[in-house]
Amino acid sequence: MSDRYLVTGGARLSGEVFVGGAKNSVLKLMAAALLAEGRTVLTNVPEIADVPLMAEVLRGLGAEVETRGDRVVIDSPAMPEYHADFDAVKQFRASVCVLGPLMARCRKAIVALPGGDAIGSRPLDMHQSGLRALGAHSAIEHGCVVAEADRLTGAEVALEFPSVGATENILMAAVLADGVTTIDNAAREPEIVDLCQLLNQMGARVSGLGSSTLTVVGVDALAPTTHHVVGDRIVAGTWGIAAAMTRGDVTVRGIDSRHLNLVLGKLEHAGAQVRRLDDGFRVTQDRRPEAVNTATLPFPGYPTDLQPMAIGLAAISEGLSLITENVFEARFRFVEEMQRLGADARTDGHHAVIRGVPELSSAPVWSSDIRAGAGLVLAGLVADGVTEVHDIEHIDRGYPHFEENLRRLGGTIERISG
């Protein structure tokens, strides 16, 4: 049996919580270390389960990796191995981000199709078409992405959708390609900007950071560097929404609040008082939240990773909320678990209609992914009695010191093993 949480409802969260580096950035930064021979150091690394998993992937490719607290040291070899096998990558989706660096360094890559969260289809078509535009041959063979090129040449790449993963892989392949590459309709997430900043520190020539068009002038070689990982806006947003749901008062530090402008604006519409700080924000909610509509979109839109928390907030708000999911079609699995807790919610395609109730009722629930797990814990905080949240290994992959931080804010949570 997997571990589970026992969450006691009724607590009003109050206090201060620090957010470490972003899960959605650090794993890609670790992969980018393969682009330069020598020692790259990452600081502000979150203590989450996916970091040692990525370390194992890199070790399988010939790198030496040392993890110590919030630091990761990666010593990349003169020539990495090019085959990331299934055992290394099956446990999490981000492992596919080694594809771009391996093509850049080795001109060849074999990467097993990755595993990860059950939130819907995430095909690699755009990753492959981008590499083909740079001159590679790429196909799916025997459960692996297989790519090879005699040389990579800069090209104009137009993405059908601003895919974060495709943007990252094409970007990392292009930094060592001949000539100039432009990526149109590129993802604009802060984690993409963080990757670009690391690459430029290593000697790459990437411009257009934060815009939908990235321009990459290829260089002959990169050098290792030291880099501070950007703060995790998804973890920060989770704590901010938790404050609103529990009618609490929580200060979140370690994050640029501009990365959550839309989320914080939604909390203000729900009746919260939000104060932006130099290194974070403070959310205070002194009455029952009001219903707000939310639609997920690529950055700067509302993050799909915070959709479960939006549903949790809607479930106990006053009025009717419409939640629209535009990114991952299977993310509404979360609604079924919320219904176990007494949420008045219905789904229809990409939409969920939720009529808020004053209080949820405790029940056993199951996590299907990282964010669903955290969302169910938040729902347990506003349910009567004790809610059992199962399959919490998902939460460990994205939230460092989750139960410790929750207890520090006044929540009652107990981890049961086995």
Side-chain angles (χ1 to χ4, degrees), residues 3-24:
D3 290 2
R4 65 190 188 279
Y5 280 140
L6 301 182
V7 183
T8 302
R12 178 180 185 268
L13 298 189
S14 179
E16 184 171 288
V17 62
F18 177 81
V19 172
K23 168 193 178 292
N24 290 339

Side-chain angles (χ1 to χ4, degrees), residues 204-239:
R205 296 175 61 188
V206 183
S207 59
L209 279 66
S211 77
S212 59
T213 300
L214 293 174
T215 301
V216 185
V217 179
V219 298
D220 293 333
L222 299 180
T225 189
T226 297
H227 181 78
H228 185 86
V229 181
V230 70
D232 197 316
R233 64 195 172 98
I234 305 302
V235 173
T238 299
W239 294 124

Side-chain angles (χ1 to χ4, degrees), residues 74-389:
I74 303 164
D75 204 332
S76 184
M79 183 55 64
E81 300 290 332
Y82 61 80
H83 188 180
D85 64 26
F86 179 72
D87 285 341
V89 306
K90 66 182 178 182
Q91 301 182 72
F92 65 121
R93 176 74 183 186
S95 56
V96 77
C97 66
V98 300
L99 181 61
L102 292 180
M103 284 303 299
R105 288 291 303 284
C106 308
R107 297 295 190 260
K108 186 172 184 178
I110 302 176
V111 181
L113 294 175
D117 291 333
I119 56 176
S121 173
R122 294 192 280 187
L124 301 180
D125 296 359
M126 285 185 284
H127 300 244
Q128 294 189 86
S129 62
L131 293 178
R132 291 185 190 118
L134 298 177
H137 300 282
S138 181
I140 305 294
E141 300 178 8
H142 309 293
C144 297
V145 183
V146 179
E148 189 171 8
D150 294 330
R151 62 194 290 252
L152 295 178
T153 305
E156 293 186 5
V157 179
L159 297 178
E160 297 176 4
F161 178 85
S163 162
V164 171
T167 299
E168 291 163 341
N169 266 326
I170 297 165
L171 173 64
M172 288 189 280
V175 292
L176 295 180
D178 298 330
V180 179
T181 298
T182 59
I183 307 174
D184 288 322
N185 200 25
R188 300 167 57 189
E189 274 74 2
E191 296 79 19
I192 294 287
V193 174
D194 200 30
L195 175 60
C196 291
Q197 290 172 338
L198 170 75
L199 294 173
N200 285 343
Q201 287 173 219
M202 298 171 77
R205 296 175 61 188
V206 183
S207 59
L209 279 66
S211 77
S212 59
T213 300
L214 293 174
T215 301
V216 185
V217 179
V219 298
D220 293 333
L222 299 180
T225 189
T226 297
H227 181 78
H228 185 86
V229 181
V230 70
D232 197 316
R233 64 195 172 98
I234 305 302
V235 173
T238 299
W239 294 124
I241 295 171
M245 288 178 64
T246 64
R247 307 186 199 185
D249 183 354
V250 175
T251 298
V252 182
R253 298 192 181 275
I255 183 71
D256 186 338
S257 65
R258 292 173 296 180
H259 295 166
L260 286 167
N261 272 340
L262 187 55
V263 175
L264 296 178
K266 292 290 183 182
L267 292 181
E268 288 174 323
H269 291 153
Q273 300 173 36
V274 179
R275 180 185 174 194
R276 279 105 171 140
L277 308 172
D278 291 340
D279 63 343
F281 56 88
R282 179 180 177 181
V283 175
T284 306
Q285 182 93 27
D286 55 12
R287 55 188 171 86
R288 185 180 175 188
E290 298 174 14
V292 293
N293 296 332
T294 303
T296 66
L297 286 169
F299 189 85
Y302 193 97
T304 182
D305 280 354
L306 287 176
Q307 183 247 76
M309 294 69 178
I311 290 174
L313 179 64
I316 50 90
S317 294
E318 188 168 3
L320 195 68
S321 301
L322 176 65
I323 310 295
T324 304
E325 175 55 54
N326 293 306
V327 182
F328 291 130
E329 71 276 6
R331 203 143 223 170
F332 279 151
R333 292 183 184 184
F334 178 77
V335 174
E336 298 175 8
E337 299 306 305
M338 288 296 295
Q339 289 169 338
R340 294 179 191 270
L341 296 173
D344 184 353
R346 300 291 182 272
T347 60
D348 181 11
H350 291 274
H351 306 286
V353 178
I354 302 163
R355 187 179 302 279
V357 297
E359 184 181 49
L360 299 175
S361 58
S362 58
V365 288
W366 281 262
S367 308
S368 58
D369 65 80
I370 297 170
R371 312 307 173 184
L376 290 170
V377 170
L378 267 55
L381 294 173
V382 291
D384 65 346
V386 178
T387 297
E388 288 190 18
V389 181

